[in-house]
Amino acid sequence: MTDEQLQVYTARITQANRTELIVIMYELLLQDITDAIEAHQKNDMPQYERSLKHASRYMNELLGCLNHEYDISNQLYRLYTYANKKIIDGMFQKKIDYVEEAKEIMQALHQSFIEVAKQDKSKPLMQNTQQVYAGLTYGKGVLNEISMDPNHAFRGFKA
């Protein structure tokens, strides 16, 4: 993942509610799986393993986020553990088929959570974060990206 992608995710996280955070976690997981598949195609096994280890961490985080008061959590738990097993098997056995199967499962769930996130109108979890206003300006022969924060003195969590 590039530094620019990390900055975009960081900005999204600061403005996200609970459901949007889950969607972001899915996107990070799917990006790591995609990176692993590309590394496998290039025969870069150290990068393949690193990407799958990151993906497995996101899977474990998704497992930890489940609220077992709801029946759907038990179904998601089974899907997450199955997909995580495929990721781990793919990492140790170097079989890309397992990783691709996990990716298909997680892509379908990702699409479902995108729809759920559209209905969630709750406030962002992080309060008092930097508000980002961004735009492009034209300079001589270049485009300049700018961002301004009217309240940058009071960022992050309130204690």
Side-chain angles (χ1 to χ4, degrees), residues 13 54 111 116 122-123 142:
I13 288 168
H54 284 157
Q111 291 303 315
V116 171
S122 61
K123 292 183 178 183
V142 297

Side-chain angles (χ1 to χ4, degrees), residues 97-136:
D97 296 345
Y98 295 152
V99 177
E100 289 172 343
E101 184 178 353
K103 183 178 180 180
E104 288 177 24
I105 292 167
M106 299 313 291
Q107 282 177 325
L109 291 172
H110 175 241
Q111 291 303 315
S112 300
F113 271 93
I114 287 173
E115 294 303 316
V116 171
K118 289 178 185 176
Q119 298 171 19
D120 186 355
K121 302 299 181 198
S122 61
K123 292 183 178 183
L125 291 177
M126 292 178 71
Q127 301 296 318
N128 203 27
T129 58
Q130 181 178 10
Q131 188 67 26
V132 178
Y133 298 98
L136 295 175

Side-chain angles (χ1 to χ4, degrees), residues 9-22 24 120 122-127 129:
Y9 280 118
T10 301
R12 285 181 58 200
I13 288 168
T14 64
Q15 304 300 313
N17 61 28
R18 288 184 195 278
T19 312
E20 291 166 342
L21 282 175
I22 298 297
I24 292 168
D120 186 355
S122 61
K123 292 183 178 183
L125 291 177
M126 292 178 71
Q127 301 296 318
T129 58

Side-chain angles (χ1 to χ4, degrees), residues 15 127-133 147-158:
Q15 304 300 313
Q127 301 296 318
N128 203 27
T129 58
Q130 181 178 10
Q131 188 67 26
V132 178
Y133 298 98
S147 65
M148 298 183 304
D149 176 22
N151 302 316
H152 71 282
F154 305 105
R155 294 175 47 195
F157 290 108
K158 283 185 178 179

